[in-house]
Amino acid sequence: MVLDSLNILVQLMRISMRAFRCRELVNSVYSLAKLQFCPPEIFVEACPFLCRLEDQMTSHDVANLVWAYSTASVPNENLLQILERKAAALSTSMRLKELASILYGFANMQSGSPELFSVLAERARRSTQWLNPQEMYNIAW
């Protein structure tokens, strides 16, 4: 029954995703990954729409997408390049939880440039004075 409901949700997403705003599409993809329901075709189909929404992405969106595509094991080179560029550009305003998700996702996919990891490591280094135990755990994870 739950599987049937998720399949219906994916079909509705497939029909509607071209009309989704950035946050709606990001949240849809993230939710499927969080539920561990990751049909690769829906992640692949979402990529061109997500790429067109690049200018609307926040650091939260980037973190959720990197994590979701890593969790789904559906890397897309075009989307990953965009997410890497956005992560570097938004790094100064990024929360540490977002930083941890991005680091984890790119490392898990064995993707991301050394330059990106340097930028994100510098961001984490500058923020260590404000780390609480949960944030330290998130970065280490």
Side-chain angles (χ1 to χ4, degrees), residues 107-128:
N108 190 47
M109 291 185 283
Q110 298 180 351
S111 184
S113 67
E115 294 80 16
L116 174 66
F117 284 96
S118 292
V119 166
L120 297 179
E122 177 59 23
R123 167 67 175 103
R125 188 191 65 73
R126 284 192 322 264
S127 301
T128 54

Side-chain angles (χ1 to χ4, degrees), residues 18 37 41 43 52 75 108:
R18 68 180 31 93
F37 186 75
E41 63 276 1
F43 283 81
R52 285 194 288 265
N108 190 47

Side-chain angles (χ1 to χ4, degrees), residues 44-100:
V44 170
E45 288 175 39
C47 284
F49 298 107
L50 288 164
C51 290
R52 285 194 288 265
L53 297 168
E54 172 185 2
D55 293 340
Q56 299 172 36
M57 288 182 193
T58 65
S59 57
H60 185 76
D61 296 330
V62 172
N64 282 351
L65 286 171
V66 171
W67 182 87
Y69 275 82
S70 169
T71 299
S73 298
V74 185
N76 177 282
E77 199 57 42
N78 290 337
L79 180 60
L80 290 179
Q81 288 175 358
I82 287 170
L83 295 174
E84 181 173 337
R85 190 169 52 246
K86 290 296 285 188
L90 297 169
S91 65
T92 57
S93 62
M94 199 174 285
R95 292 180 13 226
L96 290 174
K97 184 175 181 183
E98 296 162 351
L99 174 76

